[in-house]
Amino acid sequence: MRSGVIFGVLAALLAFPDALALKANDFKTCSKSGFCRRGRALSARAQEAQASWKSPYSLDPSSVSISPDEATVKASVKSSLYPDIKFGLELRIHDDGVVRVIMDEVDGLRKRYNEAAEWALVAEPKMSKTISWTAGKKDLRAVYGEKKNIQIVVSYDPLRVTLLRNGKEQIVLNGRGLLHMEHFRSKTVKETSEEVASDSSGEGQEVLQVENVRAWFEGESEDDWWEETFSSWTDSKPKGPESLSLDISFPNHGNVYGIPQHATNLSLPSTTGDDAPYSDPYRLYNADVFEYLASSSMSLYGSIPVMHAHSADSTVGVFNAVGSETWIDISYPTKKSTHTHWISESGIMDVFLLPGPTPEQIFTQYARLTGTTALPPHWSLGYHQCRWNYVSSDDVRTVQRRFDEEDMPVDVFWLDIEYAEDHKYFIWDSKTFPDPVKMTDDVAAIGRKMVVIVDPHLKRTDSYPIYKEASDMDILVKPKSGEGEYEGWCWSGSSSWIDHFNPASWDWWISKFKTNKIDTGFSWTQSTEDIHIWNDMNEPSIFNGPEITMPKDSIHYGGWEHRDVHNINGMLFHDNTAQAIRFRGDVPKRPFVLTRSFYAGSQRISAMWTGDNLGTWEHMAVGIKMVLANGIAGMTFAGADVGGFFGNPEPEMLIRWYQVGIFSPFFRAHAHIDTKRREPFLLEEPYKSIVRDILRLRYTMLPIWYTAFRENSVTGLPIVRPHYVMFPKDPVGFAIDDQFFIGSSGILVKPITEKEITETTVYLPDDQVYYDYFTHYAYRGSSQGNYVTVRAELHQIPVFIRGGSILPTRERPRRSSPLMKHDPFTLRVALSKSGTARGELYLDDGVTYSHQQGELVWREFVAEPSAKTTRISSKDLASANPSQTVDGVMLETYNPKNAFVKEIEEVRVEKVVVLGLSNKPKSVKVENGAELYWEYIPGVPASDKKEGTSSVLHIKDPKVIVTEDWAIVIS
Ligand SMILES: *[C@@H]1O[C@H](CO)[C@@H](O)[C@H](O)[C@H]1NC(C)=O
């Protein structure tokens, strides 16, 4: 939530008039950021010099040392600009072919921040045991890959790192000579010249040259080297200039994706060049951007420096593990090549090159580095009802009752900041929430949950135990002096922030969430294990800070400046909160924590939402693209606020927004405190019934979503997938981002995000039949792709099942998802044009970690044609794939009769719907069993080329058990 607009309503802010003047231009453009300006100026000089431009950086061949395992090579690098400054370069080849490129200043005046990757990586990567570096006269090389077709080449002079496949350049570092690591220096010119003068004779002249060269390469002045002012804030920059500029080119890839979070197209529009839509580079600097634009390269709340570069031949990726503010220019010199230029304020160079060559492999390579999303609690895939604010415990009860009266499913009720007395999180306002435990128990009576906000700003008053304890422990972020406590303004008035980089904060923070009394201070006894947590404002948002965040010269644990760790900061907060929720009770349970700020690795344990969007059609549309882009960078449990945070959407817009919401991994409605109430039960007819159906559709499809989460937990493949991921060879799909697929299920969706639409065009990418989910009308793709026009009136969502898919659903309306645990399944068997189909179903208890011990069900459904019969069977996938089962955990053995299977052993398949059979069957039987009840409606067969309503076979109650092997034979 949040923005300047509402400040007027808050008494705390009257004490702080500056906050009232907040507006969008309170954020820097590149031209207002010293190091970005310097980076762009470097690029401009290179462009001007054209062919005569040469990178001053070179590798010293005499320094090359190859590790005994031969997978790591180290060498010295120097810059002809500053011959006395030393840099160290290291390249490591991992066992999956990922190449890590590290460069740092050696024996510098100070130390560059080098811990970003440590926070992001899930484990220390394993080095290759088979790949060897060899040092030649002009370069270092390693050749690898199954077909020995991948080459990594490090050219000495100028320094250049190139990844090639089949002799074709895939990724090039410093190919354009924009590499520049600003070394640490002393502030005054005088000191520098004295230092140099005391050196041996002859050096004096060289220094003069150095000065000249610097004037040319680094620009003509010390542009904001030592101090920087923005609006009324001054950044003291005690370490001076330390930025890092690096160009990364993809000479054979014409589309790039990723680097969330930005409100823009999935295929990233250019920022430089003649018709670049954006004038500023993409910025990664976690910020609470007030009323953000629906199309912009501006920073938002989270940053993941991961980029995919794609062409019909190959996909490659880079992960640039940097935690400081970073700007990225993108240009497309040709339709088939991409230039990018990364400019970071501080930190070492630590870049991972992901060789692909398919999107799937990129996801797996990135997941091996930073992890996948652990299976979330199952209920968190249900519908979340939020508002700033449900004002009392009775308000919560009334809202719950209204959902039940209207037969609308919902799983979670949320409380925003007003539950807390004076915004002291954990401390309930006893006037409005006198009975928090009882209220939560009432909500939990049918398995529902609550999510309550805990923000990172701590009200600075000794009567607030969280602040008092943190202050006594000296674990708060410090001001630039390095002494005492940094103080800023937020919801709670004068506030301080826990330094989660300080390990002393970890166990302490975890202990605060215990629901029982503890010996060491406060614990949240006024809560239950049915309360989960929302971490907002964790960029951190600070109303009187520069760009509404923490001053960059504030000091964290280890003496690091906030500038070094800013983009990582939010992740540590939600990560520690999630650990707290996981371990607060006797039995560890899966936490649900929603975060606004995030970094590479955040995906492991938290969900995110796209922040304070506006109730406009543009925001609705861009929310889909943002969720897709987050998935590209691993942060797949994502969604945008349904309805838009600001504004009062008319019923049409609200309905369309629910249609978008049910097709997002995270599905929450939320609203600003100044908006009218807009819970779905408040709608008039026919809108109310339309929304009820939409909510029910989400619940019907929960098995499909949960199964997609399982797959993500092992492979890193996103839950919602854009076209280029599904059909990487089809160029038409490379820029498509308004329709997408759900996991591997075969569902294709195109939500409507425009006003007064009655039909729309959908792109079908391949030569396959696509069935309308609701009407069973069969549309045809073609090998060149095909556009079809489909109905899309207000109650209609364009949803298709790709031929060849089997979808498990649960069709009985329930008030909450836990009530569905023993419900029977329906299988939709959507035959491909060759009469086959396949699908998966994953189930477990949805709450504990027993699935990691193998208490789960993972089934495969297959439909296979043979002479005049179609056989639909169910078999156990978990027994066959113990290492691929779930959460990346290796199951020692899988017991098909495990405790969870026993718990649901009565759950059956109550209906099978087969789409696209060619003929009316003569008989439909469970294999070796009796004839079943069935009904056949003639229609277009899957094998046909023509469009029309497909044939449908309804098989009623075959009485097969979902956890068992079985087969149904249609002949
Ligand atoms: C985003 O994509 C759409 C559709 O291709 C295009 O019309 C629009 O110009 C793009 N936006 C930007 C900022 O390039």
Side-chain angles (χ1 to χ4, degrees):
M1 30 173 282
R2 253 31 42 93
S3 86
V5 154
I6 41 68
F7 287 173
V9 302
L10 286 147
L13 285 153
L14 295 176
F16 183 61
D18 272 8
L20 298 171
L22 276 181
K23 46 187 161 348
N25 65 7
D26 276 336
F27 297 94
K28 289 181 186 176
T29 53
C30 179
S31 65
K32 289 189 175 150
S33 153
F35 77 91
C36 186
R37 214 164 43 226
R38 300 199 295 275
R40 266 199 158 177
L42 181 66
S43 161
R45 286 191 291 279
Q47 204 138 26
E48 221 164 279
Q50 294 192 349
S52 68
W53 182 267
K54 182 177 177 249
S55 170
Y57 289 86
S58 62
L59 185 149
D60 173 3
S62 70
S63 69
V64 169
S65 96
I66 297 172
S67 66
D69 70 3
E70 302 188 347
T72 300
V73 63
K74 292 185 186 182
S76 308
V77 163
K78 64 179 192 330
S79 159
S80 60
L81 303 170
Y82 297 103
D84 296 338
I85 306 296
K86 288 182 280 187
F87 300 96
L89 181 74
E90 180 172 342
L91 287 98
R92 305 178 188 168
I93 304 179
H94 299 173
D95 60 356
D96 58 355
V98 167
V99 181
R100 183 173 184 179
V101 186
I102 301 170
M103 186 171 126
D104 193 3
E105 187 179 346
V106 178
D107 302 330
L109 213 51
R110 301 179 187 91
K111 202 165 136 52
R112 299 179 78 94
Y113 183 68
N114 62 357
E115 293 171 6
E118 262 172 63
W119 296 113
L121 295 183
V122 67
E124 191 55 38
K126 292 194 179 67
M127 292 305 113
S128 167
K129 291 203 171 68
T130 55
I131 303 165
S132 310
W133 285 100
T134 49
K137 279 213 174 63
K138 288 189 178 157
D139 56 38
L140 273 164
R141 279 165 191 261
V143 179
Y144 61 99
E146 265 171 47
K147 297 184 194 135
K148 297 280 172 227
N149 59 345
I150 303 177
Q151 259 188 320
I152 178 92
V153 179
V154 185
S155 316
Y156 298 155
D157 190 11
L159 176 65
R160 188 181 198 265
V161 178
T162 312
L163 183 92
L164 302 100
R165 186 178 314 99
N166 299 329
K168 249 179 150 177
E169 291 184 330
Q170 306 290 309
I171 310 175
V172 183
L173 307 186
N174 200 32
R176 295 195 291 145
L178 304 182
L179 169 65
H180 187 40
M181 182 173 273
E182 292 177 329
H183 65 277
F184 290 114
R185 25 201 141 187
S186 307
K187 186 164 179 178
T188 63
V189 178
K190 198 159 162 268
E191 262 177 52
T192 316
S193 48
E194 268 172 13
E195 230 173 13
V196 174
S198 71
D199 275 24
S200 59
S201 62
E203 297 267 345
Q205 206 189 338
E206 213 182 298
V207 167
L208 259 172
Q209 278 174 4
V210 167
E211 296 282 321
N212 286 340
V213 174
R214 188 199 66 191
W216 167 76
F217 189 84
E218 289 200 315
E220 275 158 27
S221 64
E222 298 187 350
D223 182 6
D224 272 355
W225 276 18
W226 303 102
E227 192 175 270
E228 190 166 333
T229 300
F230 174 68
S231 192
S232 59
W233 294 277
T234 298
D235 175 4
S236 65
K237 296 176 86 167
K239 292 185 287 177
E242 53 169 322
S243 78
L244 173 66
S245 156
L246 176 66
D247 61 276
I248 305 179
S249 301
F250 307 100
N252 292 295
H253 302 80
N255 289 78
V256 289
Y257 312 96
I259 55 167
Q261 186 182 23
H262 301 98
T264 189
N265 289 352
L266 179 68
S267 173
L268 292 164
S270 59
T271 60
T272 55
D274 287 342
D275 19 74
Y278 300 134
S279 54
D280 254 20
Y282 291 95
R283 189 185 190 203
L284 294 177
Y285 188 62
N286 297 348
D288 183 357
V289 176
F290 148 68
E291 292 193 340
Y292 64 80
L293 303 170
S295 172
S296 165
S297 57
M298 273 174 84
S299 245
L300 288 173
Y301 313 90
S303 297
I304 307 183
V306 169
M307 183 181 272
H308 286 195
H310 183 72
S311 72
D313 304 331
S314 103
T315 316
V316 291
V318 289
F319 167 40
N320 184 355
V322 60
S324 66
E325 178 181 350
T326 296
W327 299 77
I328 304 151
D329 263 323
I330 295 177
S331 64
Y332 299 100
T334 68
K335 277 198 158 48
K336 299 209 156 144
S337 63
T338 307
H339 284 167
T340 69
H341 180 203
W342 303 59
I343 312 162
S344 302
E345 185 169 21
S346 72
I348 63 167
M349 185 210 288
D350 197 351
V351 178
F352 298 76
L353 312 181
L354 317 180
T358 64
E360 276 187 44
Q361 283 165 298
I362 300 283
F363 287 115
T364 303
Q365 287 155 4
Y366 181 66
R368 286 193 73 205
L369 293 173
T370 68
T372 60
T373 304
L375 263 193
H378 182 275
W379 54 262
S380 65
L381 306 188
Y383 173 55
H384 297 256
Q385 181 63 51
C386 187
R387 173 174 180 83
W388 180 21
N389 223 94
Y390 292 115
V391 298
S392 66
S393 36
D394 282 343
D395 192 7
V396 171
R397 291 186 178 96
T398 306
V399 172
Q400 154 147 286
R401 181 172 52 78
R402 292 291 296 126
F403 270 93
D404 288 343
E405 284 169 0
E406 297 290 352
D407 275 334
M408 290 179 168
V410 56
D411 266 66
V412 195
F413 295 108
W414 288 54
L415 291 176
D416 209 319
I417 57 173
E418 311 304 342
Y419 83 89
E421 181 187 281
D422 295 336
H423 302 137
K424 293 179 295 190
Y425 308 104
F426 300 92
I427 313 295
W428 298 90
D429 185 328
S430 58
K431 292 190 290 299
T432 46
F433 291 89
D435 55 351
V437 169
K438 179 74 176 45
M439 170 190 69
T440 307
D441 289 348
D442 288 347
V443 165
I446 58 163
R448 290 190 181 125
K449 306 288 176 193
M450 297 212 62
V451 170
V452 171
I453 202 164
V454 171
D455 280 353
H457 41 270
L458 304 184
K459 190 175 183 68
R460 290 172 56 82
T461 165
D462 284 350
S463 64
Y464 181 30
I466 306 287
Y467 165 73
K468 181 72 166 67
E469 291 176 25
S471 176
D472 289 348
M473 289 172 71
D474 195 22
I475 53 172
L476 296 166
V477 178
K478 296 181 177 5
K480 65 181 174 190
S481 65
E483 300 295 327
E485 296 166 5
Y486 167 76
E487 182 198 345
W489 276 80
C490 206
W491 297 119
S492 42
S494 170
S495 305
S496 286
W497 281 259
I498 298 161
D499 181 7
H500 284 278
F501 289 90
N502 186 340
S505 72
W506 301 344
D507 285 346
W508 170 77
W509 183 247
I510 288 170
S511 74
K512 297 307 99 184
F513 288 84
K514 293 275 181 197
T515 55
N516 54 350
K517 251 174 104 60
I518 59 169
D519 298 334
T520 52
F522 175 91
S523 66
W524 207 10
T525 54
Q526 290 302 294
S527 75
T528 85
E529 288 191 43
D530 292 312
I531 292 181
H532 291 250
I533 300 297
W534 175 13
N535 285 161
D536 194 357
M537 308 293 275
N538 50 335
E539 295 75 23
S541 177
I542 299 178
F543 297 152
N544 64 339
E547 303 195 82
I548 323 181
T549 191
M550 195 169 266
K552 286 176 169 171
D553 48 12
S554 311
I555 302 296
H556 287 267
Y557 181 74
W560 295 113
E561 284 186 282
H562 186 69
R563 118 180 44 253
D564 298 315
V565 298
H566 175 83
N567 286 343
I568 305 169
N569 185 73
M571 173 166 81
L572 297 203
F573 182 58
H574 76 72
D575 196 30
N576 286 329
T577 304
Q579 297 305 333
I581 299 306
R582 178 174 177 171
F583 293 114
R584 67 186 155 177
D586 298 335
V587 180
K589 294 207 182 96
R590 298 182 215 172
F592 176 80
V593 172
L594 182 76
T595 181
R596 192 170 68 181
S597 185
F598 53 89
Y599 182 67
S602 280
Q603 77 273 10
R604 294 191 286 263
I605 203 150
S606 294
M608 66 73 66
W609 92 110
T610 62
D612 297 346
N613 58 358
L614 310 191
T616 64
W617 294 98
E618 292 75 19
H619 271 259
M620 190 193 302
V622 82
I624 294 172
K625 304 167 203 286
M626 292 166 80
V627 168
L628 290 173
N630 277 314
I632 297 315
M635 197 74 205
T636 199
F637 195 3
D641 279 343
V642 167
F645 181 58
F646 297 108
N648 294 303
E650 71 273 17
E652 180 190 358
M653 183 189 282
L654 196 55
I655 283 176
R656 291 304 195 188
W657 218 313
Y658 272 96
Q659 293 174 347
V660 171
I662 62 163
F663 288 105
S664 307
F666 174 58
F667 173 33
R668 181 183 79 155
H670 185 33
H672 188 281
I673 198 165
D674 288 343
T675 60
K676 292 196 195 112
R677 291 249 172 161
R678 51 162 112 121
E679 288 70 26
F681 50 75
L682 294 171
L683 287 163
E684 304 279 325
E685 291 295 355
Y687 305 113
K688 184 158 69 180
S689 294
I690 295 176
V691 171
R692 181 186 298 112
D693 287 347
I694 295 169
L695 292 170
R696 285 181 176 176
L697 183 59
R698 170 69 173 206
Y699 279 75
T700 297
M701 291 185 165
L702 286 176
I704 297 168
W705 287 100
Y706 201 55
T707 301
F709 270 87
R710 182 216 67 81
E711 188 184 356
N712 169 270
S713 80
V714 176
T715 65
L717 273 159
I719 309 292
V720 288
R721 298 182 191 165
H723 272 258
Y724 87 89
V725 172
M726 299 296 289
F727 295 93
K729 293 189 182 309
D730 173 21
V732 181
F734 293 176
I736 293 182
D737 55 11
D738 58 356
Q739 57 176 64
F740 54 85
F741 295 84
I742 301 175
S744 301
S745 69
I747 292 185
L748 169 66
V749 194
K750 181 175 183 182
I752 301 300
T753 56
E754 283 171 85
K755 205 174 161 60
E756 289 169 3
I757 293 290
T758 55
E759 60 178 41
T760 190
T761 308
V762 177
Y763 177 67
L764 303 180
D766 59 335
D767 183 12
Q768 191 50 271
V769 50
Y770 281 79
Y771 302 92
D772 183 299
Y773 183 88
F774 306 99
T775 66
H776 304 150
Y777 192 88
Y779 295 92
R780 305 284 160 176
S782 85
S783 51
Q784 288 82 45
N786 192 21
Y787 291 92
V788 296
T789 302
V790 304
R791 298 298 300 165
E793 288 183 47
L794 188 54
H795 64 286
Q796 293 170 319
I797 321 171
V799 181
F800 307 88
I801 318 172
R802 183 172 180 265
S805 313
I806 301 183
L807 302 179
T809 56
R810 283 177 147 159
E811 313 253 336
R812 301 194 176 180
R814 299 282 181 190
R815 287 173 294 161
S816 71
S817 68
L819 300 179
M820 302 170 84
K821 183 168 183 178
H822 297 277
D823 281 354
F825 284 85
T826 292
L827 296 180
R828 275 182 186 68
V829 180
L831 295 177
S832 70
K833 57 181 183 153
S834 52
T836 59
R838 133 169 235 293
E840 290 184 16
L841 171 66
Y842 174 81
L843 296 168
D844 61 23
D845 80 2
V847 176
T848 69
Y849 288 86
S850 62
H851 63 298
Q852 295 183 349
Q853 263 74 54
E855 297 192 8
L856 53 85
V857 174
W858 182 27
R859 307 295 304 181
E860 179 181 44
F861 306 113
V862 177
E864 295 155 300
S866 61
K868 297 214 171 148
T869 68
T870 292
R871 184 173 182 272
I872 301 168
S873 61
S874 167
K875 57 178 191 240
D876 179 15
L877 275 179
S879 296
N881 303 278
S883 68
Q884 286 288 307
T885 299
V886 71
D887 274 5
V889 175
M890 178 68 123
L891 301 177
E892 297 277 302
T893 53
Y894 174 74
N895 176 4
K897 294 259 177 289
N898 64 72
F900 176 71
V901 167
K902 292 216 178 85
E903 231 178 285
I904 62 159
E905 66 190 352
E906 85 288 11
V907 174
R908 65 203 157 82
V909 175
E910 67 174 342
K911 194 155 85 167
V912 179
V913 182
V914 185
L915 306 178
L917 282 172
S918 297
N919 297 106
K920 182 174 180 178
K922 293 198 174 63
S923 112
V924 180
K925 292 179 177 171
V926 173
E927 204 159 51
N928 307 320
E931 189 71 13
L932 296 168
Y933 293 99
W934 54 272
E935 182 192 357
Y936 179 78
I937 307 163
V940 175
S943 54
D944 241 40
K945 291 242 179 296
K946 64 172 187 280
E947 288 195 350
T949 302
S950 79
S951 69
V952 186
L953 171 69
H954 292 276
I955 305 172
K956 287 172 203 164
D957 202 9
K959 294 199 172 63
V960 290
I961 298 295
V962 86
T963 58
E964 293 177 356
D965 292 355
W966 48 259
I968 294 172
V969 180
I970 304 165
S971 47

